[in-house]
Amino acid sequence: MALKTAEKYLESLRKLDLKVWMFGEKVQNIVDHPVIRPSINSVAKTYELAQNDAHSSLMTVASSLSGERINRFTHLHQSAGDLVNKVKMQRLMGQKTATCFQRCVGMDAINALDSVTYEMDLKLGTKYHANFRSFLRYIQDNDLVVDGAMTDPKGDRSLRPSQQPDPDMYLRIVSQNSDGIVVRGAKAHQTGAINSHEICIMPTVAMTEADKDYAVSFAIPSDSSGITYIYGRQSCDTRKLEGSSIDVGNALYGGQEALVVFDDVFVPRDRVFMCREFQFSGALVERFAGYHRQSYGGCKVGVGDVLIGAAAQMAEYNGAAGASHVKDKIIEMIHLNETLYSCGIACSCQGHRTPSGTYLIDMLLANVCKQNVTRYPYEIARLAEDIAGGLMVTMPSEKDFRHPEIGPYIEKYLKGVAGVPTEHRMRMLRLVENITLGCAAVGYRTESMHGAGSPQAQRIMIARQANLEHKKKLARIISGIDREE
Amino acid sequence: MKITAIYCGGCNPEIDREALVKQIVKRLGKPVYPFSPGTDPDLSLFINGCPRQCVNPRTAEGWSGKAIVVAGLSIDAWEVSQEELVDTLLRKINEIEEKFIPIN
Ligand SMILES: Cc1cc2nc3c(=O)[nH]c(=O)nc-3n(C[C@H](O)[C@H](O)[C@H](O)COP(=O)(O)OP(=O)(O)OC[C@H]3O[C@@H](n4cnc5c(N)ncnc54)[C@H](O)[C@@H]3O)c2cc1C
C-alpha cells in the first residue's frame, strides 16, 4: 500500500538530516520545534485525510503509473475530472487547516514536468522523461512530499540571469561530468521546503541561449549535502513560543516558507530533468504557473470558508448578526469566495490532454482565476475586519486573561452577547487576526498576491491567450461592417 | 481517401475552424466532406476551436478510419503556432494518405 499514515510521515521527517537555521541558530529538532510544528501538522493532515473514509475518495486516486491507490498530491491528472477533484481537495484542505498546507507546489511541479519532459525528449532527442517518471514512481510508491522550487532570488529584475553582476542570483549549473551536474544558487520563498522529502527545481523564467546554464531542472533528497534552509519569519510567529493557545489564533496549523541555499550541490544524472535545454524552460514555467494559478481557486477558497465562518460567528457573538449591512457583507464575502472557486473549477473542466497523457488546465481561465485571487481575499479580509471590530487588534493577551487579579476585568468587559463565554469571543477574534494579519495572512494575503506569479504575470498571459481578433470580428459582423461568412 | 470534418460547437474559438478546412481543401485539391452518419470516411478530422477537444475520437459517435484532432492551436495535443497550423495539418493528412491502401 503506497499510502503513509500521518504518524509515519512525522517519523520520516525525524530521519531527515536537514540543515535548518532560525533566529540565528541551527535547529536541532525540526519536528518538535514550536514555530515549525504547526506547519508540519498541516502537511500531516494531507496524510490523515487520505486515510479517513469520509475523505479518501477525494484525497486518493488510482495511480496512472502503478494502478495503486496513491495520495492525490502525488498524482498525474488523467482527465478533466481529475483536475476538478484536485481543486475540491484543495478547498477541503484549506477548510481543515485554515492555512497553507504546502503540498500543492510539488503536485503542480510534477504535473508540469511530466508533459514538458515528454515533449522535450520527442522534439530534441533528450532522455529526461524516463528519469522523471522513475522519480515520480518513487514519490508515489513512498507517499513523499515534494517541494516545488521555482523562484530564484533574481537580483536586479531588469537584467536577465546571465547579465546579473552576481551570477548566482539564479540557480545555475556550475560544472558537469558523466555522473551528473553541480549546481549553485538559491530558491526563495520555498513553501513547506523543510517539511519535504524531496526538492524539485525548475527555472523561474523563460531562458535564452545566453542563459542556458540557468535552464536546469532536477529533484534531489531535501537533506542532500550542500543544501541550507533559512526559515522565513511570519507575522506574530514568536507567539508560538509563548505557550498560549488563544493568542496564536490557530494553535494547530500553520504555513512555512524558507530561503533554500544550494552551495555546489551534486545532482546525479538520473535525477536531472532539464540541462541547458533553454528552449523548453518557458513551457515549464508557464505550465507550472498555470497549474499553481488553478490551485489557488481551491486552497484560498477553503481558508476563505473559515474566515467567512469566523466573521459570521463574530457577528453573532457581538450581537450584530441581525443588522442588514452585516448580513449583506457576509453575502458579499461568500460571493467573492465562490467566484474564486468557480474560476478554479472552470479552468479544470476546460482542461485538455497533453501528448504525455497528463491533463493541463485551460490557461486563460487559470490566469483569470489567479488574477481574481490577487484581489478578492483582500476584500474578504477587509470585510471580516469590519465585522469583527477593533478588538481583534487591541485585545489583551491570554496570560492577562488567565491572571487571577486582572483576568476578571477582561472576562467582564470583553463580553459580547449573554450566553457566549468571553473566551469564545477572544478565540474567534484571534482567528480573524491570524488569517488577516497574523501567521496565516502570509498565505491568505501576500501569497494570494505574489504566489504563482505577481498580478502582472497573469495579465501578460491573459493578453496572450485571449483571441482579441475574434472578438473584433464578432463586433464587425454584428454592427454590419462585415458579413458573416 | 475520403476525408470528413467533424466540428465542435464553436462557442469560443481561438482559430477560424471553417477557414482552416477551406484552406486544407484548397491545398489538397479535393473535397473534405461534412460528417454525417453513414459517410464512412477513411480519415476523420476533428476540428475544435480551442484546446478543450470537445469533439474527439473518444466522445464522437459514428466516425471511422484514421483520426486527426485539431484543437485550437494544437494538433493531436501538440502545440503549433498559427503560422504552422495549416502546413502541419496538411503534412499529417499527407502522411496518412501515403500509407493509405484503398479497400476496393
Ligand atoms: C507566501 C509565498 C509562498 C511562495 N511559495 C513559493 C514556492 O513554494 N515555490 C516557489 O518557487 N515560489 C514561491 N513563491 C514565490 C512567488 O512565485 C514569487 O513571490 C513571485 O513569483 C513574485 O516574485 P518576487 O516575490 O521575487 O517579486 P518580484 O518579482 O520582485 O515582483 C515585485 C513587483 O515587481 C514587478 N516586477 C518584477 N520583475 C519585473 C520586471 N522584470 N519588469 C517589470 N516589473 C517587474 C512585479 O510585477 C511585482 O509587481 C511564494 C511566494 C510567497 C509570497
Side-chain angles (χ1 to χ4, degrees), chain A residues 287 349-350 352 355 467 473, chain B residues 13-14 16 51-52 77-79:
Chain A
R287 289 187 196 179
C349 290
Q350 296 295 295
H352 65 273
N467 186 353
K473 189 174 168 192
Chain B
E14 64 182 42
D16 188 333
R52 177 72 181 91
W78 286 87
E79 284 175 17

Side-chain angles (χ1 to χ4, degrees), chain A residues 294-323:
Chain A
Q294 167 209 28
S295 285
Y296 289 172
C299 67
K300 305 298 175 219
V301 178
V303 179
D305 287 326
V306 178
L307 185 56
I308 293 167
Q313 199 63 75
M314 270 316 299
E316 280 177 24
Y317 290 174
N318 287 346

Side-chain angles (χ1 to χ4, degrees), chain A residues 147-435:
Chain A
D147 166 30
M150 177 165 275
T151 311
D152 293 288
K154 296 184 292 196
D156 182 341
R157 270 64 175 158
S158 68
L159 300 176
R160 299 208 52 79
S162 56
Q163 298 170 330
Q164 298 285 334
D166 179 346
D168 300 336
M169 296 314 279
Y170 288 74
L171 190 136
R172 66 189 175 115
I173 304 164
V174 286
S175 65
Q176 179 175 1
N177 62 30
S178 55
D179 297 332
I181 57 174
V182 174
V183 297
R184 188 186 305 155
K187 292 287 177 183
H189 322 282
Q190 290 311 299
T191 295
I194 291 152
N195 303 338
S196 300
H197 304 99
E198 293 277 336
I199 183 155
C200 180
I201 301 294
M202 297 162 286
T204 304
V205 289
M207 303 291 174
T208 62
E209 184 154 18
D211 306 314
K212 65 177 190 287
D213 285 346
Y214 299 89
V216 61
S217 177
F218 57 87
I220 42 168
S222 53
D223 58 356
S224 298
S225 166
I227 303 182
T228 303
Y229 299 84
I230 309 170
Y231 209 87
R233 289 217 69 164
Q234 295 185 331
S235 165
C236 309
D237 51 7
T238 45
R239 286 193 194 179
K240 293 176 191 168
L241 300 171
E242 295 168 4
S244 156
S245 79
I246 296 180
D247 293 354
V248 285
N250 182 349
L252 264 183
Y253 303 109
Q256 175 200 97
E257 297 77 28
L259 174 65
V260 186
V261 179
F262 291 74
D263 201 1
D264 290 358
V265 174
F266 173 72
V267 184
R269 184 142 295 282
D270 63 350
R271 282 300 197 88
V272 176
F273 311 140
M274 178 184 283
C275 182
R276 301 196 174 89
E277 289 77 14
F278 63 93
Q279 310 92 316
F280 280 82
S281 54
L284 184 53
V285 173
E286 230 170 64
R287 289 187 196 179
F288 168 77
Y291 283 122
H292 213 44
R293 289 168 193 176
Q294 167 209 28
S295 285
Y296 289 172
C299 67
K300 305 298 175 219
V301 178
V303 179
D305 287 326
V306 178
L307 185 56
I308 293 167
Q313 199 63 75
M314 270 316 299
E316 280 177 24
Y317 290 174
N318 287 346
S324 63
H325 80 95
V326 171
K327 285 185 192 161
D328 193 55
K329 280 167 184 157
I330 289 169
I331 291 167
E332 178 66 7
M333 292 166 85
I334 295 168
H335 158 69
L336 293 169
N337 207 39
E338 298 300 335
T339 303
L340 297 180
Y341 188 52
S342 307
C343 292
I345 293 293
C347 69
S348 308
C349 290
Q350 296 295 295
H352 65 273
R353 197 175 171 278
T354 65
S356 77
T358 296
Y359 269 64
L360 185 64
I361 59 292
D362 181 291
M363 281 290 188
L364 175 59
L365 297 185
N367 279 280
V368 169
C369 177
K370 173 68 208 321
Q371 182 78 176
N372 284 335
V373 170
T374 66
R375 300 171 181 173
Y376 296 178
Y378 286 84
E379 181 61 9
I380 294 170
R382 190 183 73 80
L383 292 167
E385 287 183 39
D386 179 347
I387 293 168
L391 201 56
M392 64 174 262
V393 292
T394 62
M395 189 167 57
S397 70
E398 180 176 357
K399 278 193 180 133
D400 293 323
F401 179 59
R402 306 273 181 228
H403 196 275
E405 196 180 326
I406 50 171
Y409 288 136
I410 297 173
E411 179 75 56
K412 175 179 163 73
Y413 289 111
L414 297 194
K415 189 151 181 71
V417 294
V420 174
T422 301
E423 183 175 329
H424 290 192
R425 193 160 174 255
M426 291 174 72
R427 283 186 180 277
M428 203 53 75
L429 285 164
R430 287 293 182 214
L431 175 59
V432 175
E433 183 197 29
N434 171 268
I435 299 174

Side-chain angles (χ1 to χ4, degrees), chain A residues 117-134:
Chain A
T117 52
Y118 183 86
E119 290 166 38
M120 182 162 57
D121 282 3
L122 277 167
K123 286 248 165 95
L124 302 182
T126 49
K127 298 264 180 303
Y128 297 121
H129 190 63
N131 286 355
F132 171 73
R133 281 278 174 107
S134 74

